[in-house]
Every structure is written in C-alpha cells, then in structure tokens.
Amino acid sequence: MKQSQLLAPTLRDVPADAEAVSHQLLLRAGYIRQLAAGVYSLLPLGRRTLQRIESIIREEMESAGANEVLLPALQPAELWRESGRYEVYGDELIRLTDRGGREYALGPTHEEVVTSLIAQEVSSYRKLPLTVFQIQTKFRDERRPRFGLLRVREFLMKDAYSFDADWEGLHRSYETMYAAYHRIFSRLGLRYRAVLADAGAIGGEGGTHEFMALADVGEDTIIACTACEYAANLEKAEAAPLSHAISLDEHDGGTQALHKFATPGIRTIQELRDRMGIEPSQVIKTLLYLADGEPVAVLVRGDHEANETKIMNALGATSLELADADTVRNVTSAPVGFAGPVGLRARIIVDREAAAMTSAVTGANEEDSHYRNVVPGRDFHLEAVADLRNVQAGEACPQCGKELAAHRGIEIGHVFKLGTKYSSAMQASFTDAEGKENPFIMGCYGIGVTRLLSAMIEQHHDERGIVWPAEAAPFGVHLLPVSMKDDVQRELALKLYAQLRAAGMETLLDDRDERLGVKLKDADLIGIPARIVIGKGAAEGLVEFKSRQESDAELCSVEDALVRASAILGK
Amino acid sequence: MKQSQLLAPTLRDVPADAEAVSHQLLLRAGYIRQLAAGVYSLLPLGRRTLQRIESIIREEMESAGANEVLLPALQPAELWRESGRYEVYGDELIRLTDRGGREYALGPTHEEVVTSLIAQEVSSYRKLPLTVFQIQTKFRDERRPRFGLLRVREFLMKDAYSFDADWEGLHRSYETMYAAYHRIFSRLGLRYRAVLADAGAIGGEGGTHEFMALADVGEDTIIACTACEYAANLEKAEAAPLSHAISLDEHDGGTQALHKFATPGIRTIQELRDRMGIEPSQVIKTLLYLADGEPVAVLVRGDHEANETKIMNALGATSLELADADTVRNVTSAPVGFAGPVGLRARIIVDREAAAMTSAVTGANEEDSHYRNVVPGRDFHLEAVADLRNVQAGEACPQCGKELAAHRGIEIGHVFKLGTKYSSAMQASFTDAEGKENPFIMGCYGIGVTRLLSAMIEQHHDERGIVWPAEAAPFGVHLLPVSMKDDVQRELALKLYAQLRAAGMETLLDDRDERLGVKLKDADLIGIPARIVIGKGAAEGLVEFKSRQESDAELCSVEDALVRASAILGK
C-alpha cells in the first residue's frame, strides 16, 4: 500500500492520559482512536494487525477441528434467565429493549446462545465431540475501562465451546484447545505462561488455565516456579505445605500465659511495629468477613495477605465481603482495629502459618488493647485450618520446593472445563448409546483478540516505537525512498515495491512528500519488521536495509535487501 | 474438512414459516438457525460462505484504494444529536444506556462516527481524497424482520465513506466505488442491475445508485428498459414525457359543461368501473395528503399509482402521509371517497397525464356524488404539474422510447453522494490550498453482506438445493465415498482429499456412516460446485464426477476428476 493513501496519523508527543506504553504507542503510531470511554475505532494499521492475529487464530482453531460459527450479539433475556445469569451478571451486562418491549442482553459471552443452539441441533452421542468457535464482537460495560485496548467495553474475542458425551471427552477437548492456544501465542511471538486458575468463582466443576502474557502493566499477578513448570495466578497459587502438620487440638507451644497490654490508638500491623516494636510476623491479623451474609473471622499472620478466593473455597461460600463496622462491633464488642480471636462471637478459620504460631500478638476485642502470648487452639477454638493466604515471591514452590517468583501478567486466554453448569441449567441434553438422556459436558475457551494487540506491544517495543514480530506485523516491509521526485529513486522504489509484493511480502511504500527524518521517525513508530531506504545509492543499485529489531542499517545491493527481507519474514 | 466433524444439520422438510426459497434452503441445508425474530446464528457452512463473500469484497475495496478500519457499534448519542439524526431515526435505532447513565445508539450505520473521526485526523486537503471501509455488524430494529437473512435486525455490512476536497473529487471517488461494486457482484455470479435511485429522502445533494439483485422475492421494484441501459427503482423511474406540452392556463378541451351525477355508495375507482362502467383511465383520483402537516391534493389518473417520493420532491416536503378522515372532511366537506378537485380547499398538484385530460370524472366533494366533464385548468386551479406517478411495465423508456419492463429486486448495494450533509452538520472541515476551511465532500457506499447470502441463493438453486457459483461456495469439492468401511474406497477418498487440498481446492469429505442416498441428498442441499463419488469403481481408479450445475454424473478416472474440479473452480 502507498502511505500517501493510508490513514495513519502519527503523533510526536506522548498523549497525556495514556499510562500504558502500548496505549501510548497505539495512539502515537496511528493504530487506534478513542470514541468513548473504553470504545475505540481501529484505524487501518490497527485493523490490519488485528486481521493477522485473527487469521493465525482461525488457522489453529481449524486445525484443531473446531467449527467456525457466528452467533448474535443480540441475545434474548429469556436465555440468560434460563442459565440464571441475567440477574447475577450485574452492571457489566448491557441490557436493552426492542421496539416491541422485549428484553435483550448485548452478548458479553455466548454460553447461553451456544448451549441452546447445540441442544436444538445435536441430539445423539454420535455427533459428539463437537467444538465450535467464533471471532466476534463482545460488549461488557466495564466499570473502569483503561490502558487503551487492555480493558475496554467493546472488543473482538475468539470464543470456543466444546460439547462432549463424558468427562473423558472433555479432558481431550480441553487438551486440544490448550495445545492450540500454545501454538497461537507462540506464533504471535508472545512471552506468556499458562497458569492454573481458580474454577470456583466462575462456577465450573473442572480445571481451568489462564494464559498470561508477561508484562508489568498487567493487572494480574502470576506466581511461577523458577525451577519447575509450576505456575498459577495469585488467587490459585498454593503455599508450600508446612514442614510439620498442624492439629486442631494439640499444641506444643504455649508455656506463657495470655497477657493483655495497652495499645492506645494502635489499630494496624504497621502501628504495632512502628510504635511497639512488634514484628508483623509475630502478629495474627483477625479479618472479619460476611460470607454469604454470616460473620466469619479469618486469621492470617501479620506479614501475610488474605486470599479471598481461597477463603470462599474453604467456606464453600458464593459471596464474600469485608464486614461493616456494625458487624465488627457486634462480634468484637470493640471498635474497628482491635478485633482478635480470643472471645470472639464468630466462626474462626485460620491460615496454616497463623495456626502454627505458638505465641502471637492479637487484638483483644477491647478498645486500645491487644493480647500477647496468644496460642491458637489453647486461647480460642479453630473451626478449620487451611491455606488462606496469598503466596509471595521468594517462597518455596508447592511442587518442587525451589524458589517462587512473582510476575505481572495480562490475561490473553482462558480455557475452562464448564462441565454441566450450563447444560444442566438449560436442559441441554443428548441421548447416549444406551438411549439415556444426559447433559452435555462442556468446555469454554476464550482469547481476547483486541487485547492481544496491546499485550504484544507491551512486549515488543523500544523507546522509538513498536517492534512487530513478523507474523503479526501489519506490513512485512517498509520501503522509504528519500525522495519520490528523484527519477532514479522513484523508479527503483516502484520496481522494488512490485517485486516485494510479487514475492508475497506485504509492503508499505512511503511515497509521501516528507523529509527523510519524518519518514524514519514514523517508520520506527509503526514498527514494520524490515525497512529499506532508497537514497543516493539507488543509481548504483544500493539501498539501506535495516531490521526493526536491530539498531544499525547496512548498505547492500537490492538483491541482498530482498533476501534479507524474506529471511526476516520467513517467506 | 471432514463432514463427521461439521455442524451442518440438514432438514428433509420445508420449514413451515419460511416463505422465501433462500430462507427455506438456508435452514434446510444447515447454514443458519434463528435465535430471535430477525436475529440468526450462522452455522459453519453459513459462516464459511460469508467469509468467501467478505474476502472478495475486501480484495476489491483494497484494490480500489480504500482503507480498512473497524468502527465501534457503541456510539455516543451526542454524535447522533450533532448530525440531527438521534430523534429523527425512529424506532429502528436501538438505544441503550450505560452504567453511568450515558446514552448510546447501537450503530445501524456509521456516518456520524466516521465523520467525527476524519474531522479529528485529517486537517489538510493534501491528505484527500480518502476512502475508508469496514466489514462489521450493524443493528437495526426492523419493524417486520422476514425472509430469513433478507430483512434482519443484526447483520454484517460493508460500509465505505469517501472524503474529498471538492465535488469533482467526489464524482471520481463515487465512480471508483461504483466500478468496484460491479466487480464484486460479477465475481459473486449475481444477476443484478445498478439502478438510479432517489437521493431526496436520504438527504444527500448528489446522485445515488442502488445495486439490485434480480429475484422475485425482492421487496423493491425496478423499472428497466428492454433496449437501452436505463434502469431505475420505482421511486425514481421517470415517466416518458408527453407528446404535447401541458400549459397551466390554456386548455383546448372542455367543450362540455361540468355535470354532477349521483353515485350512491361508490367510493372507489373499482366501484366506478364495476357499477357505472366508467374506465379508470377516464377518472382523476384525488389523493389527500398531509405534507409537512399541510393538506395537499395530488391528482393522478385512475389507472395510475401515485409516487410518494416524487410528490415529496415536487413539494420540497420532508414528511408525507395520507390525510386522516378529519382533514378529508375539512377540505372536502364530504366523507372519505368523494374528494375531487372542484371547489377543494387545499393546494392542488397534478400528474402530467391527469393534467392532460380534457374530460374527466372526479369526486364532487359531496356524499354519493361525482362530476363528469371535469377539465383541469377550467374547473379548478393547478398549482403545479409534474411527474407524480409510478411508471408501469410496458410504458416507453424516458431515455430511448422503447418498452420498459418491471423486475423485482433485492437491494444488495447502495452508492450515494452525500455531499456536505454530515460534514456541515458536524463541523467537519479541512483547510484548502488557499488556507480556507471547507466542509468535506462525502460519499457513502454500502453492501449488505449477510443479505448477499440470501440473494445469491434466490438466484442459484434448483428443486434439490443450493447451486453455488465457484467463488462464493463454502467448499469447492464434495468428496463422497460410498462407504468409509470399504478399505479401497476409504484409501482412495483420503488420498484424493489430500490431493485436492494440496491443489488449493477446499474440500468437504463426507466420512459419515450414512447411506449413499442420504449423502447425495445432503450434497445437493448444500450445493458445493464439484462432487466426486467414490464407489465400486475405486478398485480400477474410477470415480463419478458431477458438477452441481449439471444433472448427470459421469464415470471418469481420478486424474480426470481432478482436472474437471479444478476447471470448475478456476484453480
């Protein structure tokens, strides 16, 4: 394509309200423009790149045997009521009413639609397994859209759904998709990890993995072993087991008696350390929650963070929120900041590390007072002991015992064993070999297609702009004649342009009437893998070749430039 | 692809509620399923065909120099208020409110979004001309969705928008798109006409053409010359000029005096003929309208139909509706059915043919009475004479005088010179060579991508199913081994399957455990251009080849079958 005809408005300055590097570069290089909060127009370079990503995904889905479909965004509210999600989904679900007064949801995802479709069309086990996928626009009314394309309200997603006759089949379908996801993200040149995720909150009965692109701007924390393959998101990552087992009844510590002491105005772990010299690791924090509306105390060590996913799983609760001040006063008889387990009027569950302490400091359920020498099991009853805290970098791997590291990640994919969650709720069943009706065993598999654009740029850029890996680049070669008014340069440029395209290399020809400096700056911003500058050497058949990944350009023959370009692009 | 893995549920019976052939076949051949009124899921065969169509459109748009973008469906209501369309658009515009209470329209079209985008990004004439396009989902809350994909509420559309510095430029951009549309529809194997359409109603200042696929199910009427190139939609088609000119003042007829006669209970042209023996061509119909709220009488000959588009254009009105009974009684002093021009209290405009009558029958503005010997100009005042009626098949072509024919058509494309309608309303301007600010001169160009599926099937089917033209078919070759359990047949089938795909022919292998009769019936329904049946002849290297367009299959060698398939597919 000729750049004079391309709508790619580049910006010299960093846009003031763009925090993430990828957001800045997408704006500066002219890939996207915002229309409303979390709603973006994709300009030609953005659209092209997205299409490259789409076709890689499509290829891998097809080679994994998935059927491409296109399901509607307008989804009757009745379907969402059948699955039970219409009320539960909350403000993120965009709702609307048609001219006849019928209610619709604007699809944030398609479990309901696909389950009802397959229930209608597939009645026998002989048509299973079956996997369908689509690449389609999704709508989610995010509370805080941000970071450019990373968190938006309208975006392209690849979603796939598998239908199996039994769990064995689901495991196979899941493995097939899991492998396809690895191929997709590898082809896109991403540094990523497939991490264990928690299934409980979303409601499936099976396993689930998230695919996380590693990037500092990522909103998720990944815990990964530095030695073995273990990786999980923070919600799911297990703490290594203690070296000794904890019993709820017997305690070997506790030689010193419980002792109340004055802590005027001291309400936090931080204040205990700063003003009383008590280390956080000597303290047991008492966190009061409402789990499905009932007060529960969760104890973790003062230097640990509670993990609400683990707490919910331990309690079998479907909702969890920190208790309000009234509840705190009710169960502790004290103002907020002095809660402790001794004499508390609530169920108490304890993290393993806190349960293992033999002389802890806790709140005394009394204003301006704390206890010392608190012994779990002696001074208060432990209803349950479990892993209830976030793992931290530097801890031991639960699998191999070596050191864990923490990373920030962008969720780019998610594979999930749904089991019968939707098929049971929506009466979607098939007839098995014995003539019995069974609900489909389902899996769902998502990739945030639009978000991939941002994730890739977060990983592939330098201080001058985007640095596209070959498979995802909007163009393969960027041709820059210094001056299209120079006959020799223009002729060579047009000849090379034709040759490159004939060789299957998509080429952008900068035929604009701009200074070379401007052209070079724009080229660096846009990030096309191979750059060929045609200048004074044109008369002798010499051009300047540069890979966007390398810092230096080299003078070489036209033939050589063609060879190098095709090597970079794998053509 | 292997058919055992394909979700293509065929139906033997014609679905009861599907009137159009294309609707029946799309359902029966397993291309689509309905989710809600006018909202369809595209199953794999439908999705594949749509993708073939999309890529042809994309190729032709790119070769016409258009930039592909992807604009949001969620469009802030403010933009629609700026253009003035938010209130005017009516119930077809789907409106919604986000969690913050902000209003949005769900894009039925993208003039507002693209105008605001280009206004922000293009400030100088040096970046013009510029054409952008997208292939994207549109939402329109149609009052009466019907005929399968022909009239739906959610659909894929290709829309393009051109931006020029002057009208000369717009004419060129328009011609470029016009030519690209011809290439697209030709490649899709469609019988179609590009017809003149009326620009007034949509509000542009320039010309406009509709591309109409010829089909009996079409909701539009096309008037086309049987001799020359003249073609227009019914709203626009001109009546040939009269052989003699009409003057508003002088009349050569009218020797007989106006005569009132009794017509008890006779209120229609039909009743005048049946009960009084008066031919419709001797009658002047008086139609009472409210044009922008004001009563206006429109006179046409009794055997002619009024054309509301022409009436609006003649009056310069922006709204037109038939007058209510109260208005009729007010201006005629009579009940509905007896209106006439003599003594009428309203403006009167007259179709040319009615104005040329020298002795007409009309209503007498009195219950149960009509006039004879009415002479326009003598017995009532003509405010204006113009072409105000629908042209009929058999009339003379306004261009060459030969006979006109009428066709039914499906609107598949529309090219439109918008001029400054949006750029003026939305203050979208650029700086010209003299440093002056001017509004962009715009064009817009649409193709109903989803609808094309139906239009193509309306034209390409037989009593057994769909008959795809090669370029749009979901697969090129359908391979039908009689039995995959037969070793020889299975081996040959798999070998051919690999060979065909290696030669770039997309192939569907019917590996299902079904009787040959079922396989053949499904193959005919699905409509893949080349069919190869592998049966008993496999041992001698013989197969049965059949083009879907022909009725007979022929036994031939495997090599021959490959050659024939590639000839049909142009590979």
Side-chain angles (χ1 to χ4, degrees):
Chain A
M1 182 161 199
K2 292 183 179 170
Q3 205 161 338
S4 62
Q5 292 174 11
L6 180 73
L7 177 66
T10 53
L11 308 173
R12 287 287 163 265
D13 298 321
V14 177
D17 52 349
E19 293 169 66
V21 174
S22 58
H23 188 190
Q24 294 169 4
L25 287 174
L26 283 166
L27 290 169
R28 289 186 56 206
Y31 280 65
I32 63 170
R33 288 296 182 261
Q34 183 177 291
L35 177 65
V39 180
Y40 286 87
S41 296
L42 285 163
L43 304 192
L45 289 171
R47 184 70 191 105
R48 282 184 82 92
T49 311
L50 211 61
Q51 246 172 282
R52 302 295 299 264
I53 298 172
E54 283 175 48
S55 60
I56 290 171
I57 293 175
R58 193 165 267 135
E59 271 175 45
E60 296 297 343
M61 284 296 114
E62 283 178 359
S63 87
N67 280 256
E68 185 166 356
V69 296
L70 187 60
L71 305 173
L74 282 177
Q75 308 184 355
E78 302 96 76
L79 275 185
W80 284 75
R81 292 211 173 89
E82 265 184 55
S83 75
R85 288 208 293 181
Y86 195 65
E87 309 306 337
V88 176
Y89 210 95
D91 283 346
E92 227 176 72
L93 187 67
I94 297 179
R95 292 148 215 256
L96 58 91
T97 303
D98 75 3
R99 70 197 298 159
R102 284 170 296 265
E103 291 172 280
Y104 288 81
L106 209 48
T109 173
H110 281 72
E111 281 83 3
E112 282 80 1
V113 171
V114 81
T115 304
S116 95
L117 174 72
I118 300 303
Q120 274 170 46
E121 304 305 331
V122 176
S123 54
S124 156
Y125 73 99
R126 288 187 301 138
K127 302 269 185 189
L128 301 178
L130 177 73
T131 298
V132 299
F133 81 99
Q134 61 175 345
I135 296 176
Q136 190 249 27
T137 304
K138 299 278 188 276
F139 300 88
R140 293 184 189 168
D141 200 354
E142 288 279 351
R143 196 159 51 87
R144 287 208 298 154
R146 58 185 160 155
F147 297 148
L149 302 182
L150 279 179
R151 193 163 286 283
V152 290
R153 303 197 293 169
E154 174 176 348
F155 55 98
L156 279 189
M157 183 167 164
K158 189 286 299 176
D159 46 332
Y161 306 90
S162 67
F163 295 81
D164 276 280
D166 50 36
W167 278 89
E168 284 302 292
L170 171 57
H171 298 326
R172 275 193 301 274
S173 297
Y174 185 91
E175 283 305 318
T176 303
M177 281 292 130
Y178 183 83
Y181 275 38
H182 276 293
R183 286 196 301 275
I184 290 165
F185 298 131
S186 300
R187 285 180 64 180
L188 291 173
L190 281 164
R191 276 175 290 115
Y192 71 95
R193 293 293 289 258
V195 308
L196 294 166
D198 185 74
I202 317 179
E205 305 157 24
T208 169
H209 285 87
E210 288 168 358
F211 286 78
M212 293 283 189
L214 305 182
D216 289 340
V217 76
E219 298 181 290
D220 294 286
T221 300
I222 304 161
I223 301 295
C225 182
T226 54
C228 79
E229 278 307 295
Y230 183 80
N233 67 20
L234 186 62
E235 287 72 46
K236 178 73 174 180
E238 300 163 44
L242 297 185
S243 50
H244 56 283
I246 302 293
S247 147
L248 293 188
D249 305 317
E250 299 164 39
H251 269 267
D252 48 7
T255 54
Q256 288 175 288
L258 190 64
H259 172 72
K260 194 188 287 179
F261 64 106
T263 51
I266 294 180
R267 290 161 191 268
T268 66
I269 304 289
Q270 181 77 29
E271 288 164 345
L272 272 175
R273 176 165 64 188
D274 293 350
R275 292 173 45 197
M276 311 287 292
I278 299 168
E279 281 305 309
S281 61
Q282 320 256 269
V283 180
I284 290 181
K285 268 195 288 203
T286 303
L287 299 159
L288 293 168
Y289 283 98
L290 288 172
D292 294 341
E294 291 298 309
V296 177
V298 176
L299 310 193
V300 297
R301 231 169 60 185
D303 55 339
H304 287 158
E305 271 176 23
N307 179 312
E308 299 195 349
T309 304
K310 292 178 179 179
I311 295 169
M312 286 174 78
N313 288 342
L315 294 169
T318 56
S319 86
L320 189 76
E321 48 180 345
L322 278 172
D324 52 294
D326 278 356
T327 306
V328 172
R329 227 169 287 121
N330 259 339
V331 300
T332 66
S333 317
V336 172
F338 299 95
V342 182
L344 194 72
R345 288 186 297 275
R347 298 163 63 190
I348 298 177
I349 63 172
V350 190
D351 179 65
R352 295 181 307 196
E353 316 266 349
M357 292 170 79
T358 51
S359 176
V361 170
T362 74
N365 295 326
E366 189 182 313
E367 187 158 14
D368 297 342
S369 296
H370 277 74
Y371 281 123
R372 272 188 218 288
N373 308 334
V374 176
V375 181
R378 182 191 76 179
D379 300 323
F380 61 90
H381 174 66
L382 286 66
E383 181 179 310
V385 174
D387 175 9
L388 299 177
R389 68 179 181 88
N390 285 342
V391 172
Q392 292 164 348
E395 291 190 31
C397 170
Q399 202 159 282
C400 77
K402 295 277 165 37
E403 194 177 329
L404 291 173
H407 307 275
R408 301 297 284 175
I410 298 166
E411 188 188 331
I412 49 176
H414 197 163
V415 292
F416 200 90
K417 291 179 186 168
L418 290 170
T420 61
K421 175 175 161 64
Y422 292 92
S423 50
S424 292
M426 300 178 71
Q427 267 112 54
S429 63
F430 65 96
T431 311
D432 68 16
E434 280 77 44
K436 243 187 68 197
E437 289 282 309
N438 290 308
F440 293 103
I441 313 293
M442 292 173 56
C444 70
Y445 315 93
I447 291 180
V449 181
T450 306
R451 177 181 285 182
L452 276 174
L453 258 179
S454 290
M456 293 177 71
I457 295 174
E458 287 292 334
Q459 292 188 359
H460 297 281
H461 69 269
D462 61 19
E463 68 291 352
R464 288 169 295 134
I466 304 170
V467 184
W468 285 117
E471 280 231 55
F475 291 93
V477 183
H478 206 161
L479 260 189
L480 275 65
V482 173
S483 168
M484 284 294 275
K485 288 174 185 156
D486 179 296
D487 289 343
V488 180
Q489 291 181 27
R490 188 184 59 250
E491 265 169 47
L492 181 56
L494 292 173
K495 192 179 135 200
L496 251 175
Y497 182 56
Q499 282 179 322
L500 285 161
R501 296 168 80 203
M505 292 182 258
E506 300 219 59
T507 302
L508 182 63
L509 170 63
D510 192 346
D511 60 339
R512 296 175 301 163
D513 184 17
E514 295 281 4
R515 283 177 299 111
L516 181 62
V518 171
K519 292 185 178 184
L520 291 172
K521 276 214 166 63
D522 283 348
D524 279 342
L525 261 179
I526 292 171
I528 295 169
R531 189 189 81 190
I532 301 175
V533 175
I534 298 166
K536 285 190 184 142
E540 292 95 60
L542 292 178
V543 297
E544 213 186 79
F545 185 88
K546 185 177 164 302
S547 154
R548 181 66 185 82
Q549 290 185 344
E550 283 158 27
S551 50
D552 296 320
E554 263 184 90
L555 210 63
C556 66
S557 70
V558 170
E559 296 70 36
D560 232 33
L562 281 170
V563 171
R564 289 188 193 198
S566 81
I568 285 180
L569 301 174
K571 296 274 177 185
Chain B
M1 184 162 196
K2 293 183 177 169
Q3 206 163 338
S4 62
Q5 292 174 11
L6 180 72
L7 177 65
T10 53
L11 308 172
R12 287 288 162 266
D13 299 321
V14 177
D17 52 350
E19 294 169 64
V21 174
S22 58
H23 188 190
Q24 294 169 3
L25 288 174
L26 283 166
L27 289 170
R28 289 185 57 207
Y31 281 65
I32 62 170
R33 286 296 181 264
Q34 183 176 290
L35 178 64
V39 180
Y40 286 86
S41 295
L42 285 163
L43 304 193
L45 289 172
R47 184 68 190 105
R48 282 183 82 93
T49 312
L50 209 61
Q51 246 172 283
R52 301 295 298 264
I53 298 173
E54 283 174 50
S55 60
I56 289 171
I57 293 176
R58 193 165 266 135
E59 271 174 45
E60 295 297 343
M61 283 296 114
E62 282 177 0
S63 88
N67 281 256
E68 185 167 355
V69 296
L70 187 61
L71 305 174
L74 283 176
Q75 308 184 356
E78 301 97 75
L79 274 184
W80 283 76
R81 294 212 172 90
E82 264 183 57
S83 75
R85 290 209 292 181
Y86 195 65
E87 309 306 338
V88 177
Y89 211 96
D91 282 347
E92 226 177 72
L93 186 68
I94 298 179
R95 292 149 216 256
L96 59 91
T97 302
D98 76 3
R99 68 198 298 160
R102 283 170 296 264
E103 291 173 281
Y104 288 81
L106 210 49
T109 173
H110 280 72
E111 281 82 4
E112 282 80 1
V113 171
V114 80
T115 305
S116 97
L117 174 72
I118 300 303
Q120 274 170 47
E121 304 304 332
V122 176
S123 54
S124 158
Y125 73 99
R126 288 190 300 139
K127 303 269 184 187
L128 301 177
L130 177 73
T131 298
V132 300
F133 80 99
Q134 61 174 344
I135 296 176
Q136 191 250 26
T137 305
K138 299 278 189 271
F139 300 88
R140 292 183 191 169
D141 200 354
E142 289 279 351
R143 197 159 51 88
R144 287 210 298 155
R146 59 185 160 154
F147 295 148
L149 301 183
L150 279 180
R151 193 162 285 284
V152 290
R153 303 197 292 168
E154 175 177 346
F155 56 98
L156 278 189
M157 183 168 167
K158 187 288 298 174
D159 45 333
Y161 306 90
S162 67
F163 294 82
D164 276 280
D166 49 37
W167 278 88
E168 284 301 294
L170 171 57
H171 298 325
R172 275 192 302 275
S173 297
Y174 186 91
E175 284 305 319
T176 304
M177 281 293 130
Y178 183 83
Y181 275 38
H182 276 293
R183 286 195 302 275
I184 290 166
F185 298 131
S186 301
R187 285 180 65 181
L188 291 173
L190 282 163
R191 276 176 289 114
Y192 70 96
R193 292 294 289 256
V195 307
L196 293 167
D198 184 74
I202 316 178
E205 305 156 25
T208 169
H209 285 86
E210 288 169 357
F211 287 78
M212 293 284 190
L214 305 181
D216 289 341
V217 76
E219 298 180 290
D220 295 286
T221 300
I222 304 161
I223 301 295
C225 182
T226 53
C228 79
E229 278 307 295
Y230 183 81
N233 66 21
L234 187 62
E235 287 72 47
K236 176 74 174 176
E238 299 163 44
L242 297 186
S243 51
H244 56 284
I246 303 294
S247 145
L248 292 188
D249 305 319
E250 301 162 38
H251 269 269
D252 47 7
T255 53
Q256 289 177 288
L258 191 64
H259 171 73
K260 193 187 290 180
F261 64 107
T263 51
I266 295 181
R267 291 161 190 269
T268 66
I269 303 290
Q270 181 76 33
E271 288 163 348
L272 272 176
R273 176 165 66 189
D274 293 350
R275 292 173 46 196
M276 310 288 290
I278 299 169
E279 280 306 308
S281 61
Q282 321 257 271
V283 180
I284 290 180
K285 268 195 290 205
T286 303
L287 299 159
L288 294 167
Y289 283 97
L290 289 171
D292 295 340
E294 291 298 312
V296 176
V298 176
L299 310 193
V300 297
R301 228 167 63 185
D303 57 340
H304 286 159
E305 271 176 23
N307 179 313
E308 299 194 350
T309 304
K310 293 178 179 178
I311 295 168
M312 286 175 78
N313 288 342
L315 294 169
T318 56
S319 86
L320 188 77
E321 48 181 346
L322 279 171
D324 52 293
D326 278 355
T327 305
V328 172
R329 226 169 287 121
N330 260 337
V331 300
T332 66
S333 315
V336 172
F338 299 96
V342 181
L344 194 72
R345 287 185 298 277
R347 298 164 62 189
I348 298 177
I349 64 172
V350 190
D351 179 64
R352 293 182 306 197
E353 317 265 351
M357 292 171 78
T358 51
S359 174
V361 170
T362 73
N365 295 327
E366 190 182 314
E367 187 158 12
D368 297 341
S369 297
H370 278 74
Y371 281 123
R372 273 189 217 287
N373 308 335
V374 176
V375 182
R378 182 190 77 178
D379 300 322
F380 61 91
H381 174 68
L382 287 65
E383 180 178 312
V385 174
D387 176 10
L388 300 177
R389 67 178 182 89
N390 285 342
V391 172
Q392 292 165 346
E395 291 189 32
C397 171
Q399 202 160 281
C400 75
K402 297 276 166 40
E403 195 178 327
L404 291 173
H407 307 274
R408 301 296 287 175
I410 298 166
E411 187 188 335
I412 48 176
H414 198 164
V415 292
F416 199 88
K417 291 179 187 170
L418 290 171
T420 61
K421 175 175 161 63
Y422 292 91
S423 49
S424 292
M426 299 179 73
Q427 268 111 54
S429 64
F430 65 95
T431 311
D432 68 16
E434 280 78 44
K436 243 187 67 195
E437 291 280 308
N438 291 307
F440 293 103
I441 314 293
M442 291 173 57
C444 71
Y445 316 93
I447 291 180
V449 182
T450 306
R451 176 182 284 183
L452 277 174
L453 258 180
S454 291
M456 295 176 72
I457 294 174
E458 286 293 333
Q459 293 188 356
H460 298 281
H461 69 270
D462 60 20
E463 68 292 351
R464 288 169 296 131
I466 304 170
V467 184
W468 285 117
E471 280 231 58
F475 292 92
V477 183
H478 206 160
L479 259 189
L480 273 66
V482 173
S483 168
M484 284 294 275
K485 288 175 184 155
D486 178 297
D487 290 343
V488 180
Q489 290 181 28
R490 188 183 59 250
E491 265 169 49
L492 181 56
L494 292 173
K495 192 179 134 199
L496 250 175
Y497 181 54
Q499 281 179 321
L500 286 160
R501 297 167 80 204
M505 292 181 259
E506 300 218 60
T507 303
L508 181 63
L509 170 63
D510 192 347
D511 60 338
R512 297 176 303 163
D513 184 18
E514 297 280 4
R515 283 176 300 109
L516 181 61
V518 171
K519 291 185 180 184
L520 291 172
K521 276 217 166 61
D522 282 348
D524 279 342
L525 262 179
I526 292 171
I528 295 169
R531 189 189 80 188
I532 301 175
V533 175
I534 299 166
K536 285 190 182 139
E540 294 94 60
L542 293 177
V543 296
E544 213 186 78
F545 185 88
K546 184 176 165 302
S547 155
R548 180 66 183 83
Q549 291 186 340
E550 285 158 26
S551 51
D552 295 322
E554 265 185 89
L555 209 62
C556 66
S557 71
V558 170
E559 295 69 37
D560 231 33
L562 280 170
V563 171
R564 291 189 192 198
S566 81
I568 285 180
L569 301 174
K571 297 273 177 184

